[in-house]
Amino acid sequence: MIDIHLSTQSYATAHVDLLLVLTQNTNKQGTLRELDRHLDGQLFELIQHDDFKANDGQKLLCTTWGRIQAPRLMLFGLGEDFNDSMLEWRQAVAEAIRAASSEKPTSIGVVLNGRSGDLSATVEGLTLGATLVAYRFDHYKKPDTLSNNLESVTYFLPSRSSATVKKSAQQSLKRALILAESICAARDLVNAPPNELTPTEFAVRAEEMAENVGLTCNVHGPDQLREWGMNLFLAVSSGSVEEPRLIHLIYKPKGRRKKKDDKRVVAFVGKGVTFDSGGLSLKPTSAMLGMQADMAGAAAVFGAMQAIAQLKPSVEIHGYIGATENMTGAAAYRINDVILGHNKTSVEIKNTDAEGRLVLADTLSYAVEQGATEVIDLATLTGACLVALGQWTAGLMSDRQDMADAVLRAASQVGEDLWQLPLPKPLRSQLKSSIADISNVGGRFGGAITAGMFLREFVSEEVDWSHIDLAGPSFVDKDLHHMKKGGTGYGVATLVQYAMQEANS
Ligand code: BES
Ligand code: ZN
Ligand code: ZN
């Protein structure tokens, strides 16, 4: 990840390749007037000549003729409607840095023209926007000597900031960096090719991460899964030579908890299918492309736990990852098989490509057995959810509206698009099986919803449950705002926000 610095030094004497000035107007005051003086009155001339009006996304690039240390200067317009929130700063700085990338700077200095209302929101937004837009996954490519990559961004605080302001800005920076690193960790997992990130490797990385941040990590293999009767999970892995892994990460708050958090045990459960071929219900090549990202739910759980260990909310949180491949080997599970799950529900397999819900079924009932009082599962579960909501929006399903509202609130606060889908009772009949308790597919219509309804059967009634289908936004085909093409790390921020906010409210 790139370095982010806060500086109280003057931007004029700082050694950066490019100075980026974010501005909502072109009035002859503040930073712009200062810069104009440095540049002997040439800045306002240029502004007029180029018709720069500080409109949203508008840019003006110029040389500084050696009058300040930075050789180049870019003004970037925020537009009239800019509202000075964390999310708007995140987006603006991401877009400004993307616009500046044509200049191939290795270091960028950021200054604001005018003051920000909430410095901590500004610092958080700048940090997330800069680190996430500068994220790259290119270590499989030969090093390209021609393009130098952005390495650091320095944000110059208003020179007259008080000591308390500086201290709180530093704290915001620290928090934002923890979150940004965790999102990048999730992106790395999602972007890793499936021959690298096998279930075994996933578990190794979870153990390393847990060691680094101080979480407990328990990893269970096939023998343990067999002993616990996790036959649905095992069925999915049976067609692969790669062993499955059930990864269990545990965060326990230290010290006295608030009364309300005493009895809460939150579980995050992620689908970690490291490659989904579809199994015997084999996918065509075009649909198999991208199926290394079928572990994005698990990656979100991994990233969230990494951040939570460092941000230390006051509630107990467990992360569960069901990691397996879905392949077509000789021992692969079959269509028409009937399999008994960990919670003694029998499942008729009608499509081996509906494997995520089988892995989650056993992992969810295990999480509940381990004492969870509320569960959020995340999964790239259905193409149907992508059809319904498009690639930028995830689907939320829950039969507890207060919990759904809390998850939706967390998502909207961190700017992750999430939309609730209903769970209409009559649809449940699509999952009826003539031979077993339930069928693993529910037909063509309402595919995202019947998948959610299937999961609900494996979480006891008294436990609060929400399900996030992130098949769309976890892996995208183009850059947008702070997101880069490929794995986005979707879900990390929402889970962290949920953990912090619900626990501390
Ligand atoms: N991993 C897929 C869902 C998916 C599709 C994720 C596209 C991301 C992009 C899942 O395991 C799957 O194959 N689901 C089937 C379910 C069907 C057989 C009921 C699907 O969506 O077609
Ligand atoms: Zn599948
Ligand atoms: Zn899948």
Side-chain angles (χ1 to χ4, degrees):
M1 204 169 74
I2 61 162
D3 290 327
I4 307 287
H5 309 283
L6 290 182
S7 173
T8 47
Q9 195 194 339
S10 155
Y11 59 80
T13 55
H15 292 267
V16 290
D17 291 340
L18 183 135
L19 190 67
L20 185 61
V21 184
L22 301 174
T23 180
Q24 230 180 326
N25 59 58
T26 55
N27 301 342
K28 296 190 172 168
Q29 56 190 37
T31 310
L32 291 189
R33 194 174 63 177
E34 245 174 63
L35 273 167
D36 186 61
R37 283 200 191 127
H38 282 298
L39 306 182
D40 294 336
Q42 300 201 56
L43 185 61
F44 284 119
E45 247 175 57
L46 252 179
I47 285 175
Q48 204 173 23
H49 180 267
D50 282 22
D51 203 23
F52 178 79
K53 293 200 168 73
N55 294 333
D56 185 7
Q58 203 184 0
K59 59 176 178 170
L60 184 156
L61 185 70
C62 64
T63 167
T64 60
W65 301 282
R67 305 293 165 79
I68 61 171
Q69 276 289 349
R72 283 160 301 172
L73 175 68
M74 193 175 105
L75 304 190
F76 188 86
L78 298 171
E80 257 175 33
D81 302 333
F82 187 80
N83 75 7
D84 192 27
S85 65
M86 185 281 278
L87 294 179
E88 294 234 338
W89 282 115
R90 185 181 72 183
Q91 181 173 329
V93 86
E95 257 142 36
I97 288 176
R98 189 171 279 131
S101 68
S102 58
E103 303 306 302
K104 303 203 180 301
T106 46
S107 57
I108 291 180
V110 176
V111 225
L112 310 188
N113 178 42
R115 90 179 51 242
S116 86
D118 178 355
L119 188 61
S120 108
T122 307
V123 169
E124 200 181 326
L126 290 173
T127 307
L128 287 167
T131 50
L132 295 177
V133 81
Y135 171 86
R136 307 165 67 100
F137 187 83
D138 55 8
H139 53 257
Y140 279 101
K141 287 183 184 278
K142 290 199 186 77
D144 178 353
T145 43
L146 289 175
S147 81
N148 36 355
N149 299 330
L150 182 62
E151 284 165 10
S152 74
V153 170
T154 304
Y155 171 42
F156 296 97
L157 291 172
S159 51
R160 281 180 298 277
S161 310
S162 70
T164 34
V165 165
K166 282 178 205 157
K167 202 172 151 210
S168 92
Q170 280 297 347
Q171 279 166 348
S172 309
L173 173 67
K174 207 174 145 201
R175 274 200 312 272
L177 283 174
I178 289 170
L179 184 59
E181 260 166 13
S182 306
I183 293 171
C184 291
R187 287 181 178 184
D188 282 345
L189 290 167
V190 175
N191 288 330
N195 56 335
E196 175 188 329
L197 191 77
T198 59
T200 307
E201 173 65 13
F202 207 144
V204 168
R205 294 199 193 178
E207 278 169 333
E208 277 170 13
M209 180 276 282
E211 172 80 31
N212 287 339
V213 298
L215 291 171
T216 304
C217 179
N218 300 322
V219 174
H220 309 292
D223 294 342
Q224 202 71 90
L225 298 186
R226 222 165 282 126
E227 190 178 311
W228 293 338
M230 296 199 176
N231 302 312
L232 294 168
F233 192 155
L234 284 167
V236 174
S237 78
S238 62
S240 172
V241 292
E242 294 292 337
E243 287 188 354
R245 290 289 183 267
L246 172 57
I247 305 165
H248 183 185
L249 294 158
I250 306 169
Y251 164 76
K252 286 194 174 163
K254 293 210 177 72
R256 274 195 43 187
R257 267 175 250 179
K258 300 207 175 92
K259 253 220 179 76
K260 136 178 194 301
D261 293 331
D262 247 6
K263 294 201 177 68
R264 287 180 74 204
V265 178
V266 178
F268 299 148
V269 178
K271 169 179 173 182
V273 175
T274 60
F275 183 67
D276 182 11
S277 72
L280 292 175
S281 311
L282 193 65
K283 288 179 187 291
T285 304
S286 58
M288 217 183 283
L289 270 167
M291 281 303 134
Q292 79 285 6
D294 208 19
M295 32 56 70
V301 171
F302 180 107
M305 294 306 290
Q306 176 177 328
I308 283 165
Q310 300 167 81
L311 296 171
K312 305 190 194 306
S314 64
V315 64
E316 182 171 327
I317 302 176
H318 294 240
Y320 296 90
I321 288 170
T324 176
E325 282 190 338
N326 185 25
M327 300 292 275
T328 58
Y333 74 133
R334 306 162 199 81
I335 295 156
N336 301 309
D337 276 354
V338 173
I339 299 164
L340 196 63
H342 177 64
N343 82 339
K344 304 292 173 219
T345 300
S346 62
V347 180
E348 179 186 7
I349 305 302
K350 287 194 177 152
N351 190 320
T352 62
D353 198 10
E355 84 298 341
R357 63 196 75 183
L358 303 175
V359 175
L360 285 175
D362 278 347
T363 312
L364 282 166
S365 54
Y366 181 70
V368 170
E369 191 179 73
Q370 293 287 302
T373 59
E374 61 195 90
V375 183
I376 303 179
D377 75 71
L378 300 95
T380 46
L381 207 58
T382 65
C385 197
L386 252 163
V387 173
L389 299 175
Q391 73 168 332
W392 304 105
T393 307
L396 174 71
M397 282 146 267
S398 177
D399 54 357
R400 299 289 153 83
Q401 199 51 45
D402 48 349
M403 184 182 186
D405 289 340
V407 179
L408 289 168
R409 192 178 336 120
S412 95
Q413 283 167 342
V414 299
E416 292 188 329
D417 252 339
L418 182 64
W419 191 260
Q420 189 174 1
L421 300 176
L423 295 167
K425 285 225 165 64
L427 266 196
R428 173 63 182 76
S429 64
Q430 291 182 23
L431 290 170
K432 279 194 180 137
S433 159
S434 50
I435 173 170
D437 295 326
I438 193 168
S439 154
N440 82 323
V441 289
R444 215 159 80 75
F445 299 130
I449 293 170
T450 49
M453 287 174 157
F454 180 91
L455 298 178
R456 188 57 176 123
E457 302 290 320
F458 297 85
V459 181
S460 357
E461 189 42 47
E462 71 276 9
V463 173
D464 289 346
W465 161 83
S466 294
H467 157 60
I468 295 176
D469 190 333
L470 38 63
S474 59
F475 194 86
V476 296
D477 66 357
K478 51 172 167 286
D479 295 352
L480 179 71
H481 309 325
H482 61 291
M483 287 178 276
K484 303 295 286 272
K485 183 176 170 177
T488 58
Y490 184 98
V492 173
T494 295
L495 291 181
V496 171
Q497 184 75 5
Y498 180 84
M500 299 305 290
Q501 156 192 332
E502 295 310 306
N504 298 331
S505 62

